[in-house]
Amino acid sequence: MLRKRKIDNEKRGFDEDWTIKYFFEKGPKGLPICIICSYDCTVNKEYNLRRHYQTQHSKRYDELTGLFRDEAVKRLRTERISQKSLFVAQKQISEACVRASYRICEVIAKRTRPFTEGQMIKDCLAIAAAEVAPKQQNLFSTISPTPNTVASRISEMGIDLTNQL
């Protein structure tokens, strides 16, 4: 009876030479990621990395050797890091706007105000932002306190409280 090969049992690791040879670096899960196009390779095998490099990037990067290749790797890594940090910052801003919207809805619910008060609060925030922080004024416009949103968020908070109790 033949046993099926399992990749996990082979204990393949990322080889640092692959960074210079094929423009791959070790990703967060230990699997290689192409620093040129962000392709995620599912297996730590040199053959897979070489095939990806030869089919996708060899025409452009084969002429780079020695220090030029090292500099290209450094440049691509810094570009990838800056691109990743841009997405992280955008996600944090988006999450902050949603949290602010929930907190506004909480205030509306605690004061037993009508759901339409959310738009008035948003208008007040826009005026305050224009005066205090004009560069970040556009962030306040992404907060969504429309009557439907306020109603659904207050309902979600009520359901959450009921589940907690």
Side-chain angles (χ1 to χ4, degrees), residues 93-154:
I93 290 169
S94 176
E95 288 175 352
C97 289
V98 171
R99 276 194 311 272
S101 179
Y102 270 100
R103 300 217 34 212
I104 289 170
C105 294
E106 181 183 15
V107 170
I108 291 171
K110 282 182 179 178
R111 304 262 170 111
T112 61
R113 303 301 300 168
F115 295 156
T116 55
E117 298 265 324
Q119 189 59 44
M120 191 249 335
I121 292 172
K122 181 179 178 178
D123 294 341
C124 293
L125 283 173
I127 293 168
E131 294 297 324
V132 176
K135 290 183 181 177
Q136 269 120 28
Q137 184 178 2
N138 63 342
L139 294 178
F140 290 95
S141 65
T142 59
I143 298 172
S144 176
T146 62
N148 290 338
T149 305
V150 172
S152 67
R153 294 208 169 140
I154 289 174

Side-chain angles (χ1 to χ4, degrees), residues 36-130:
I36 299 169
C37 67
S38 298
Y39 168 76
D40 291 334
C41 194
T42 56
V43 181
N44 267 330
K45 285 176 73 174
E46 184 174 11
Y47 172 77
N48 293 353
L49 307 183
R50 183 175 54 239
R51 183 183 66 222
H52 172 77
Y53 174 75
Q54 288 174 346
T55 59
Q56 302 295 322
H57 310 297
S58 65
K59 291 176 186 167
R60 184 171 178 194
Y61 292 98
D62 269 349
E63 68 265 1
L64 297 176
T65 56
L67 291 175
F68 293 115
R69 197 169 184 96
D70 291 342
E71 287 180 22
V73 167
K74 286 178 187 174
R75 181 180 46 81
L76 288 167
R77 275 184 167 168
T78 56
E79 287 175 5
R80 188 169 183 278
I81 289 169
S82 66
Q83 185 180 42
K84 197 186 317 181
S85 65
L86 175 73
F87 286 119
V88 168
Q90 227 17 64
K91 182 181 175 195
Q92 289 173 342
I93 290 169
S94 176
E95 288 175 352
C97 289
V98 171
R99 276 194 311 272
S101 179
Y102 270 100
R103 300 217 34 212
I104 289 170
C105 294
E106 181 183 15
V107 170
I108 291 171
K110 282 182 179 178
R111 304 262 170 111
T112 61
R113 303 301 300 168
F115 295 156
T116 55
E117 298 265 324
Q119 189 59 44
M120 191 249 335
I121 292 172
K122 181 179 178 178
D123 294 341
C124 293
L125 283 173
I127 293 168

